[in-house]
Amino acid sequence: MEPSVPMGKHHGGSHREYMAEKKRKLQIQYERTASVAQTEGNEIFRGVSVHVNGYTEPSWEEIKHIMAVHGGRFENYYSRERVTHIVCTHLPESKIIQILNERKPAPMVVKPEWITESLKQGKKLPEVEFGLPRLQLQPGQTTLDGFRRPTPNDEKRPKMDSGKAVAAKTSGVDESLNEALRVAEEARSSCAVLGGRPRSASHDPNFMDTYFKASRLHFIGTWKERIENLMIKVSQEQVVPPIRQDGHFTRAIMHVDMDCFFASVAMLKNPHARGKPLVVCHSNSNQGRAEVSSANYEARKFGVRANMFIGEAKRLCPQLIVMPYQFDLYQDVSEAVYLIMFEMFPGRVQPVSCDEAYIDATNLDDPISWASKVRSEIFSRTGCTASAGISCNMLLSKIATGRAKPNGQLFVSFEEGVAFLKSMKVAELPGVGWSTRQKLTAMNIDICADLVEVPKSVLQQEFGQKTGELLFNHCRGIDGRKVETQPVRKSIGAEVNWGVRFNHEAEAIKFMEDLCGEIQKRLRHAKLKGRCVTLKLKRKQQGANEPYKFLGHGKCDNLSKSLTLASCIDDAKELMNSCLSLWQSMRFPANELRGVGISVTRLDNGQGMCASPYKNGSITRYLVEQAEAGALVEGKQPLPGNRDIGGRSSAKENIQLAGKPNQPLKPEQSPGSKDVCRKMCSLGSPETLPPLSQVDKEVLHALPEELKVELERAYQLRMNLQQPRGKPTRKSFPKARKSPRAKPRSPSQTAGLEIPTRAEDCVTFTQVDPAVFAELPKHIQREVKATYTHSRRVIRTRLFERNRDDAVEGVDQGTQRGSPSGSLLAQPWDSFKTELESRCEAIFEHLSEGHVDKYTVHLGIFQQVMFDVCGQLVVGNLETLRLLLRWLLRKTVHDDAWKVAVDQIVRHAQHLVGSSYAGGTLRL
DNA sequence: ATCCTCCCCTAC
DNA sequence: TAAGGTAGGGGAGGAT
Ligand SMILES: Nc1ccn([C@H]2C[C@H](O)[C@@H](COP(=O)(O)OP(=O)(O)OP(=O)(O)O)O2)c(=O)n1
Ligand SMILES: [Mg+2]
Ligand SMILES: [Mg+2]
Ligand SMILES: [Mg+2]
């Protein structure tokens, strides 16, 4: 039963008492749930799988429990594959309308009384008597595409008080709601005090600090470094018994995750909000574009989700309670939770996030009761509930947790896990996100059962070796990942992609300095240094408007460039030197900046325990060694830490910086470039290489040839950087960003047909003055050539663009993936045809056996593969392409889906031909 | 083969 | 108004 608030009493009675009572009840409920041995009741709901929508009486928690006891299942989220019954009291949520409009057989929609009455009578009653009177659907509602968003004043929407049947309590419920809203309001205004006025980066000298303090993503992103402290402390006091691994025996993996973590913590501070929809978010505005961080399970019944704009959330659920962030509390709760886990499972815990961990429970006597123990301990120490899943690997245990939520636990055997997996949407697989889902959808793959149909080779063709294999395994419930209790850090970085609006380059530079300061802090905290510095920039796309999201980055091009140093650094100034070099080579008008990030890789803890040890020798190692020995510089001074002797990329870059190969393109003076030069000089970036004159001649002479070359490059770099006054750079500062909409181009040898995809790609090798080129030393020639090819490397494009505010409109560039095995190009048409025939035969077999679903899936895959094949053939084998298309068109198949697929393939091919050969078409 | 850079994608 | 960070996995394509 929904623990009832002691009406009218709770003002006098202490919160403490109330909380104690609350906890006691939740505890009981938890124990019941946890101990359901599914033998307790008759199983009248066997085969039933319910999803609750909006408010109901009994509450969803009770329904969940009833299902657990009586053989049914409870689904937190609606899934056509799994849900047999939707339970709701009121009429049409947009969700329901959508469901009813689906072509496939929809689940039954019943009132909650169906459950209570069935329970009373001890048998499953016919659903019809408890159906919803359908045609209270809106007038004008069509069934075809009638997805009508409910208007905010839609009377039919479930209201806060509507779920409670007892009329006498109505006013009490209202009071409770008002109290909850009041507390939320108070909490929001009290934390707004420290804020002040809204400011973009250029307006607020203290922007970065303010920003990071208020950023939830910063909090969850930097959480790991905070938990590391705790781990160190704990591990010092702990003897870690080794995990017995009896050969190949089955592992037991437990996954523990706090239920709606931030929202749960918020409910601790606002107990009246329990049982009511609540989110954590910065803004309470009805049109706000602030993101929901966490939604409690009541709010989720209304479709409210993390990451949703608050305006959208409030539209779905107008009575939503909005609580502000309480980062300190999240930290406290998180630490409490981890202390419990570290103590109960020494040496077996892999922290995943502030609210989530894996535990290797292999050979613990009873993982299920361990899960109960850890959950009840978490609850009694924090007042927040956790859920747990147990299975034989990390994948299945995580999925089990999801099924157990909220406040539940579940053990699944491999077989059960796999059976369940098959009904899951592919997007529910960990590792499959938005983009992969789009790709799979395009292949007609919707649920994991579809994915299982796809041969590994096809997945690898489409997604790459590892990713393909991963998908192949995961959809079968196979996951070989080990619980990693001491992950090694490989990079440290900081970035800001919100509120970045500059008018002057100097502001941008200052911003980078702040970032470097932040990184120095974190490097030192982690006692690490690194020797590769990466600068990542977001640049407003040309013509992009101010984004929908306030001070957001909007539509951007992402740029990144890295510089590898001779030795490891952790000093902000030194980091900044590298950043300035990098900025110098990527530079564009500061008012187009929308995001700046800096990160450091190739970390070294100074103990010889390199996260990424330099593997190959070459100059880098040599110089480091020399530096350590103090041999390279006169007077035996150790080399300053940050000479950038140029990684390969920067060396190339610097060749370009010299400007010679690019002469046809006029370099451009950017506003403030002189400032940068001065700054760079004053910071000493180029100077930190010892002057050539100071380098011990003997040592230099003794260098192996290739090392000498690299050293020369380093000095070349310095010279280039010191003379950018008249002519700063070229490539990095394209005057006009031409045709940002250009289509991706096949990496082809057909030189005459190239379509430049970016302004900087206009620099073709043929534009390099041959006389100048001939003058260059051999190794420089090499570099120039490399640079040339490098710069016109195929631009990898995102396959699909998200359709939020920042999506690029109309991006349809379908196919830059798939990979040229090369064999196709060489293969004669005849043998290719044989392969095609057998492939098609296999596909049609599904059809003739009546497996329409399988047929559809395989046809989708076939289409996708053909897209890729066309991509390959259009490059160098147009004749084969023509034959292929003719063959497809002539093949007589009496199935519409096939005809559609062929039509798509042909269109796609013609499109490719058109873009590769200036609007040409293949005659078929 | 393996490394490296410059991306993209995913999860929290 | 709003606080779109952080780290790892991995792919493509070029260099070695
Ligand atoms: N896009 C996201 C995802 C998560 N979080 C924060 C808020 C969450 O409370 C916390 C933990 O993330 P989970 O994915 O575990 O989500 P919840 O704990 O909120 O819900 P669940 O019960 O599904 O675990 O991280 C966030 O701010 N933004
Ligand atoms: Mg959670
Ligand atoms: Mg989590
Ligand atoms: Mg997923």
Side-chain angles (χ1 to χ4, degrees), chain A residues 855-919:
Chain A
Y855 167 73
T856 316
V857 168
H858 284 274
L859 186 60
I861 298 164
F862 178 75
Q863 177 180 319
Q864 204 61 33
V865 171
M866 286 302 110
F867 277 23
D868 283 352
V869 166
C870 293
Q872 292 172 49
L873 293 177
V874 81
V875 175
N877 207 337
L878 280 181
E879 181 54 17
T880 306
L881 178 59
R882 201 180 63 86
L883 289 167
L884 165 65
L885 297 180
R886 280 171 61 103
W887 184 84
L888 287 171
L889 284 166
R890 284 156 167 237
K891 195 167 169 60
T892 45
V893 177
H894 300 293
D895 174 71
D896 287 345
W898 167 263
K899 287 176 189 158
V900 171
V902 169
D903 182 61
Q904 297 275 311
I905 295 164
V906 173
R907 279 168 197 274
H908 180 74
Q910 294 289 18
H911 173 80
L912 289 177
V913 171
S915 51
S916 298
Y917 301 95

Side-chain angles (χ1 to χ4, degrees), chain A residues 280-443:
Chain A
V280 173
C281 183
H282 279 302
S283 158
N284 185 32
S285 151
N286 288 342
Q287 325 46 254
R289 278 89 133 159
E291 273 151 34
V292 167
S293 174
S294 177
N296 71 359
Y297 280 75
E298 284 75 13
R300 292 183 203 192
K301 300 279 167 242
F302 292 81
V304 175
R305 295 285 182 280
N307 247 341
M308 191 176 262
F309 287 150
I310 189 68
E312 163 91 343
K314 295 198 57 158
R315 197 176 57 66
L316 292 170
C317 179
Q319 68 272 44
L320 199 57
I321 298 164
V322 178
M323 284 287 284
Y325 291 90
Q326 300 168 283
F327 294 117
D328 290 346
L329 264 183
Y330 309 149
Q331 186 59 32
D332 291 345
V333 172
S334 176
E335 288 189 10
V337 169
Y338 270 103
L339 278 176
I340 293 165
M341 293 192 293
F342 287 144
E343 194 176 320
M344 287 176 69
F345 310 105
R348 293 169 176 266
V349 181
Q350 176 180 337
V352 174
S353 78
C354 62
D355 87 326
E356 183 176 348
Y358 287 97
I359 291 153
D360 189 335
T362 306
N363 288 324
L364 290 185
D365 29 273
D366 184 0
I368 293 172
S369 57
W370 275 111
S372 306
K373 255 187 245 175
V374 74
R375 289 177 52 234
S376 81
E377 191 65 20
I378 287 171
F379 180 70
S380 67
R381 285 206 214 165
T382 67
C384 296
T385 60
S387 297
I390 305 155
S391 190
C392 55
N393 63 40
M394 295 172 81
L395 172 70
L396 292 179
S397 62
K398 184 172 175 61
I399 286 167
T401 306
R403 300 254 306 143
K405 271 174 175 296
N407 194 22
Q409 65 181 64
L410 186 64
F411 167 86
V412 293
S413 66
F414 179 75
E415 290 74 17
E416 290 168 325
V418 171
F420 176 67
L421 248 183
K422 296 221 172 133
S423 72
M424 283 173 46
K425 298 266 186 203
V426 284
E428 296 179 71
L429 285 176
V432 176
W434 192 89
S435 178
T436 309
R437 196 185 88 91
Q438 302 305 304
K439 271 199 202 181
L440 290 167
T441 303
M443 295 164 73

Side-chain angles (χ1 to χ4, degrees), chain A residues 56-286:
Chain A
T56 56
E57 174 65 36
S59 73
W60 62 268
E61 283 156 307
E62 292 168 280
I63 292 175
K64 184 181 181 193
H65 184 248
I66 292 169
M67 287 298 133
V69 174
H70 296 281
R73 298 209 299 199
F74 180 91
E75 298 290 341
N76 282 311
Y77 303 105
Y78 174 67
S79 150
R80 197 208 309 132
E81 282 71 28
R82 290 196 300 274
V83 171
T84 59
H85 294 71
I86 292 171
V87 182
C88 64
T89 308
H90 286 274
L91 269 174
E93 285 294 305
S94 56
K95 218 191 212 171
I96 304 290
I97 299 170
Q98 198 177 19
I99 288 158
L100 292 176
N101 285 331
E102 275 171 3
R103 276 167 300 154
K104 303 218 182 170
M108 275 170 277
V109 181
V110 293
K111 292 183 187 166
E113 287 78 17
W114 175 67
I115 293 174
T116 48
E117 287 302 311
S118 296
L119 201 54
K120 236 183 256 171
Q121 302 194 20
K123 62 173 187 220
K124 191 170 79 176
L125 297 172
E127 289 86 352
V128 267
E129 296 170 35
F130 301 91
L132 290 163
R134 288 226 181 170
L135 278 178
Q136 277 164 293
L137 288 177
Q138 286 77 9
Q141 172 82 61
T142 70
T143 23
L144 198 59
D145 72 332
F147 184 88
R148 194 194 70 115
R149 305 209 154 239
T151 54
N153 47 12
D154 190 340
E155 300 280 291
K156 304 267 168 33
R157 180 179 312 289
K159 289 285 196 294
M160 270 314 298
D161 54 348
S162 60
K164 304 292 162 189
V166 191
K169 279 195 178 175
T170 304
S171 71
V173 169
D174 272 345
E175 262 177 47
S176 166
L177 172 61
N178 288 336
E179 179 63 6
L181 289 167
R182 197 191 57 71
V183 172
E185 167 81 46
E186 192 184 291
R188 283 197 307 272
S189 60
S190 82
C191 80
V193 173
L194 55 115
R197 63 282 137 208
R199 278 296 165 258
S200 72
S202 65
H203 291 104
D204 182 356
N206 213 17
F207 175 84
M208 198 167 296
D209 218 44
T210 323
Y211 176 70
F212 280 155
K213 281 203 174 81
S215 163
R216 79 186 204 281
L217 291 176
H218 176 78
F219 175 83
I220 61 182
T222 50
W223 159 87
K224 203 155 222 159
E225 88 183 31
R226 292 189 298 275
I227 208 68
E228 271 166 14
N229 294 338
L230 196 68
M231 288 175 77
I232 290 165
K233 227 187 303 174
V234 170
S235 69
Q236 281 167 350
E237 308 161 1
Q238 245 174 15
V239 191
V240 177
I243 303 176
R244 274 189 3 255
Q245 283 284 9
D246 330 340
H248 302 295
F249 277 78
T250 318
R251 295 181 293 162
I253 308 295
M254 176 158 53
H255 177 249
V256 178
D257 188 298
M258 302 298 288
D259 301 318
C260 52
F261 184 44
F262 290 9
S264 290
V265 173
M267 290 189 289
L268 289 179
K269 287 277 166 181
N270 191 349
H272 288 286
R274 281 197 193 277
K276 304 181 181 65
L278 171 150
V279 294
V280 173
C281 183
H282 279 302
S283 158
N284 185 32
S285 151
N286 288 342

Side-chain angles (χ1 to χ4, degrees), chain A residues 422 426 444-454 853 857 861:
Chain A
K422 296 221 172 133
V426 284
N444 270 326
I445 294 166
D446 183 35
I447 58 176
C448 291
D450 300 334
L451 193 50
V452 170
E453 294 295 314
V454 188
D853 276 5
V857 168
I861 298 164

Side-chain angles (χ1 to χ4, degrees), chain A residues 531 564-568 602 613-628 632 639 643 645-648 706-707 710-711:
Chain A
R531 43 184 285 268
T564 300
L565 309 173
S567 58
C568 292
R602 305 224 198 174
Y614 42 86
K615 307 238 159 98
N616 56 353
S618 131
I619 187 72
T620 300
R621 196 235 233 65
Y622 185 84
L623 285 185
V624 170
E625 284 163 3
Q626 293 303 313
E628 279 158 4
L632 205 58
L639 286 173
R643 295 139 297 149
I645 54 163
R648 287 180 309 131
E706 89 199 82
L707 298 193
E710 273 204 52
L711 200 53

Side-chain angles (χ1 to χ4, degrees), chain A residues 787-840:
Chain A
T787 304
Y788 164 70
T789 46
H790 181 74
S791 76
R792 53 176 288 284
R793 189 179 54 188
V794 173
I795 313 283
R796 271 185 296 284
T797 56
R798 284 183 287 279
L799 196 52
F800 298 90
E801 294 284 343
R802 275 181 164 78
N803 196 16
R804 230 201 214 177
D805 62 324
D806 358 316
V808 184
E809 73 290 354
V811 171
D812 68 333
Q813 33 206 298
T815 48
Q816 205 39 249
R817 79 195 169 281
S819 116
S821 61
S823 61
L824 264 182
L825 295 172
Q827 210 172 359
W829 163 244
D830 277 347
S831 64
F832 182 32
K833 191 173 75 175
T834 318
E835 198 183 314
L836 270 177
E837 273 163 349
S838 70
R839 202 158 187 159
C840 289

